[in-house]
Structures are given as structure tokens and as C-alpha cells.
């Protein structure tokens, strides 16, 4: 068994964090496969602090649509090129569409504005709907739209120098693409969520860890990417039927009652338990072998 297939070493970490351009056809994202069944998506506008321009909002949807259907991908790692994760929305690039929606009267202008907002909401909702788990790794600033993005991910990691800011009230609007809906479900304290959203103050790494926004803090970006890839390797080494079913049901249960979640789970597993993966995993466990030694069929 070749452990390196699942757990990439330092060379893989350096490879995915090395300066390269976006991956065609994308202009804002760099996409790579640093290890078996692991896809790495890097926000790649470092010269603009990975600010989210019009192309980014469209390309994230295109990228995650492909990943959701890709049988060679079992887990995703998202990170940002350069010194910061993202400065949030690119106001200069987005202003014309967001601030001057078209329409012959208020009703039509409002209808078009709603369509635009819904389109941008989809950019992060598609991360949540993707059945493959998404690990996000944050260094430096994570501002505005960055918080919307990370709250749609499944596992959040950061560096000691990371900080988070729900910036929208500072630019005269209520956050409208996910933060106000997902952050209260991520952080246990409603009071803290309200404070962050209403004051736009910065939250630093230690507080983010303490509040549950992130689950692990690393000393620097290289260590964080190594940790993210190791975690991704652990996930990728398990049955994709089990892993993807777990993500789908965790999200369903978050938004429904316990009784509804149990009913959904029973319906889900009445078919998903009828997989060879269960017998393979049980046999490996009895032989004291890791699940990562099993060859699971693609899903």
C-alpha cells in the first residue's frame, strides 16, 4: 500500500502553492489534482488580493458543477493564492451591475436586481450542494464575500495570521449571498453573530477557533495546506458512498427537525447500504487494516 497516494508530502504542498496562472478556461481559479481523488481550487487573483470580480462568480459555478459530476474527485480543497484568502467583492468590477440594474420602472428594475442577487447566491450555494466534502484553508484576510464562501464549505482551517470580517454594513448593505443565513448555523452564539454582522469588526484566528468558525489553526500557510491535504487524503481514502451520503445528510439535518432528518436518513440508506463498500470496509476493519487500503469503485 502506497501511503503517499492519499497523503501528499511537502513537495505536493509546494506544488499547489507555487506561483502559476489560472487554469484555462478559468481566469480567476487555478484547479489541480495534488493527490489521488483530491481536487484543489485556488482563488487566483493575487495581484487583486483575490477580489471577487464578475468572472469569479460565474467560474465558481462552472467549476463546482464539473466537480459534482467528476467520479475522479472525492474531496475538494479551496485556498487563496498569495498573502490573503480574499478581500471580498471587487467593487470596481461589480459596481455597474449591482448599483445600476436595468429596468423601465421600479418593478422591472427590482425584478432584475433580484435575479442578479439570486445568481450570486448560487456561486456559494453550489459549494454546499456539491456532494463532495469541501475543506477551505484561509490565510490573511477573509473579508465580506469570503465569509459567505467559507460558511458554505464543510471544514474550515486557517493560519494564525488569518482574520475574518463581515464587511457588508461598512459599504451600506446587508450581506445577501449567504453569511446571514449560514453563519448563525456555524457559530453557536447568536449574540456573537449579530455583533460581527452589525459592527463589521474583525475576528482573529484564536477567536475564530474558540467560536467554532474554524476547527484548526496552523502557524503558517505551508503548514495549513499540508494539514488540509492530509485531511483531504483521509476523506478521499474512505468509501465515496459513505462520505457523500454523510455530507448530504448532515446538511439536510441542519435544516430540518430530528424526526425529519431520521426519516430522510432511513430512506437514503435503504438503498445506499446495498453497496459492496460496507462489506469491503468491514473486512478491512476485522483485519485491522485502514479503509485507505481498499479500492472503492468510482461514484
Amino acid at each position: 500500500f502506497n501511503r503517499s497516494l492519499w497523503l501528499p508530502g511537502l513537495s505536493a504542498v509546494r506544488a499547489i502553492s507555487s506561483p502559476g496562472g489560472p487554469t484555462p478556461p478559468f481566469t480567476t481559479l487555478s484547479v489541480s489534482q495534488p493527490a489521488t481523488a483530491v481536487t484543489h481550487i485556488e482563488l487566483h487573483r493575487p495581484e487583486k488580493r483575490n477580489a471577487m470580480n464578475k468572472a469569479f462568480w460565474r467560474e465558481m459555478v462552472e467549476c463546482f458543477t464539473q466537480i459534482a459530476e467528476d467520479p475522479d474527485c472525492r474531496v475538494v480543497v479551496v485556498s487563496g493564492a498569495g498573502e490573503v484568502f480574499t478581500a471580498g467583492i471587487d467593487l470596481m468590477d461589480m459596481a455597474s451591475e449591482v448599483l445600476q440594474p436595468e429596468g423601465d420602472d421600479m418593478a422591472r428594475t427590482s425584478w432584475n436586481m433580484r435575479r442578479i442577487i439570486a445568481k450570486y447566491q448560487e456561486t456559494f450555494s453550489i459549494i454546499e450542494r456539491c456532494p463532495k466534502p469541501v475543506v477551505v484553508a484561509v490565510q490573511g484576510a477573509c473579508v465580506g464575500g469570503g465569509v459567505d464562501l467559507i460558511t458554505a464549505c464543510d471544514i474550515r482551517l486557517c493560519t494564525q495570521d488569518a482574520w475574518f470580517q463581515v464587511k457588508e454594513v461598512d459599504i451600506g448593505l446587508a450581506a445577501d449571498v449567504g453569511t446571514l443565513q449560514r453563519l448563525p448555523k456555524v457559530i453557536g452564539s447568536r449574540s456573537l453573530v449579530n455583533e460581527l454582522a452589525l459592527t463589521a469588526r474583525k475576528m482573529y484566528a484564536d477567536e475564530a477557533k474558540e467560536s467554532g468558525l474554524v476547527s484548526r489553526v496552523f502557524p503558517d500557510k505551508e503548514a495549513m495546506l499540508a494539514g488540509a491535504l492530509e485531511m483531504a487524503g483521509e476523506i478521499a481514502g474512505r468509501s465515496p458512498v459513505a462520505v457523500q451520503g454523510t455530507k448530504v445528510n448532515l446538511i439536510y439535518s441542519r435544516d430540518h427537525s430530528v424526526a425529519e432528518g431520521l426519516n430522510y436518513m432511513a430512506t437514503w440508506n435503504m438503498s445506499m447500504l446495498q453497496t459492496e463498500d460496507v462489506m469491503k470496509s468491514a473486512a478491512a476493519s476485522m483485519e485491522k487494516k485502514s479503509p485507505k487500503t481498499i479500492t472503492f469503485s468510482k461514484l
Side-chain angles (χ1 to χ4, degrees), residues 247-268:
K247 171 171 177 172
V248 169
N249 279 276
L250 280 169
I251 291 174
Y252 185 91
S253 293
R254 182 197 67 188
D255 298 333
H256 294 80
S257 70
V258 172
E260 289 169 326
L262 286 169
N263 185 58
Y264 190 81
M265 187 77 247
T267 304
W268 183 275

Side-chain angles (χ1 to χ4, degrees), residues 40-263:
H40 177 231
I41 301 172
E42 186 178 53
L43 280 54
H44 210 288
R45 297 184 75 213
E47 74 287 353
K48 297 289 187 180
R49 294 165 59 85
N50 296 324
M52 301 170 173
N53 61 1
K54 288 179 186 175
F56 165 83
W57 297 88
R58 181 186 69 253
E59 290 177 2
M60 282 288 280
V61 174
E62 294 170 357
C63 186
F64 271 92
T65 298
Q66 294 172 20
I67 284 170
E69 300 295 323
D70 181 4
D72 291 318
C73 172
R74 294 185 187 174
V75 60
V76 182
V77 174
V78 176
S79 69
E83 298 300 311
V84 304
F85 181 69
T86 178
I89 190 171
D90 187 333
L91 284 170
M92 297 300 291
D93 188 71
M94 304 285 289
S96 60
E97 185 173 35
V98 174
L99 301 180
Q100 298 173 316
E102 297 177 351
D104 293 337
D105 58 19
M106 184 177 290
R108 288 167 177 81
T109 301
S110 298
W111 194 269
N112 285 331
M113 188 74 248
R114 190 182 195 284
R115 179 180 52 79
I116 291 167
I117 294 169
K119 179 178 71 175
Y120 291 140
Q121 288 175 343
E122 177 67 7
T123 295
F124 303 136
S125 291
I126 199 166
I127 298 174
E128 191 172 76
R129 283 203 313 275
C130 176
K132 285 70 184 286
V134 181
V135 179
V136 65
V138 178
Q139 83 283 0
C142 178
V143 178
V147 179
D148 294 288
L149 190 164
I150 68 168
T151 53
C153 298
D154 302 296
I155 299 171
R156 289 167 293 277
L157 314 175
C158 77
T159 55
Q160 192 63 56
D161 70 352
W163 53 273
F164 307 83
Q165 187 176 23
V166 184
K167 183 72 171 171
E168 283 81 355
V169 292
D170 276 358
I171 56 173
L173 60 104
D176 56 4
V177 290
T179 289
L180 301 187
Q181 292 68 40
R182 295 189 177 100
L183 191 59
K185 295 178 183 292
V186 169
I187 293 179
S189 168
R190 191 83 188 202
S191 178
L192 178 58
V193 171
N194 294 345
E195 178 190 340
L196 294 170
L198 294 169
T199 67
R201 77 162 173 86
K202 296 177 181 178
M203 173 191 269
Y204 292 92
D206 289 342
E207 188 182 6
K209 171 75 161 57
E210 182 183 335
S211 69
L213 179 60
V214 302
S215 53
R216 292 180 65 184
V217 179
F218 294 84
D220 54 46
K221 184 178 179 181
E222 188 170 282
M224 175 181 65
L225 287 175
L229 287 171
E230 180 171 356
M231 190 177 293
E234 292 291 333
I235 295 168
R238 268 69 184 178
S239 158
V241 173
V243 166
Q244 294 179 39
T246 296
K247 171 171 177 172
V248 169
N249 279 276
L250 280 169
I251 291 174
Y252 185 91
S253 293
R254 182 197 67 188
D255 298 333
H256 294 80
S257 70
V258 172
E260 289 169 326
L262 286 169
N263 185 58

